[in-house]
Amino acid sequence: MVSFQTTSPWYNGRTTFTGIPLQKLMDYVGAKGSVVKVTALNDYTTIIPLSDFKKYNVILALKINGEYMPIRDKGPLFVVYPYDSIPELNNQVYYSRSAWQVSRMDIE
């Protein structure tokens, strides 16, 4: 697991997220395809290019500020980009790809 701090539209100030690098997870499961369809517990879905995972070091976070994320606070899993690391990540395109309460991921 890895951790990084970043600001985001959902929390005040810098937040520490800890989770699994999605590129490593995709490598581990042998993902073949070009996108991943992420579905949340509330049936929200988003499509993320697999190339984002390597390019931006996206994680599947399970902890926030050292604590496991409960469902009521975007848990148990949250796709998080390191928004502060690259200015282009601070826009609605990447925010909309940042699904929380992840329940399913399908490679397409």
Side-chain angles (χ1 to χ4, degrees):
M1 294 210 305
V2 299
S3 296
F4 58 72
Q5 284 190 340
T6 190
T7 57
S8 74
W10 309 285
Y11 298 99
N12 292 325
R14 292 177 63 78
T15 306
T16 301
F17 293 97
T18 303
I20 301 159
L22 277 164
Q23 182 61 52
K24 285 189 178 186
L25 180 61
M26 294 300 114
D27 291 344
Y28 181 78
V29 300
K32 303 289 185 220
S34 59
V35 298
V36 61
K37 179 181 175 185
V38 180
T39 305
L41 292 173
N42 66 358
D43 292 326
Y44 172 81
T45 59
T46 188
I47 305 294
I48 304 171
L50 285 173
S51 59
D52 274 14
F53 298 159
K54 184 174 184 177
K55 183 176 181 181
Y56 300 119
N57 298 313
V58 182
I59 66 170
L60 186 60
L62 53 115
K63 289 185 178 183
I64 183 168
N65 296 325
E67 301 291 327
Y68 286 99
M69 289 187 289
I71 289 173
R72 70 180 178 278
D73 192 18
K74 300 186 178 31
L77 302 169
F78 187 174
V79 175
V80 182
Y81 286 73
Y83 311 102
D84 292 347
S85 67
I86 302 171
E88 74 184 75
L89 295 177
N90 287 296
N91 71 59
Q92 193 56 42
V93 170
Y94 297 99
Y95 298 149
S96 70
R97 293 178 185 172
S98 300
W100 56 78
Q101 296 180 325
V102 172
S103 65
R104 183 180 176 111
M105 298 176 81
D106 296 295
I107 312 302
E108 299 178 352

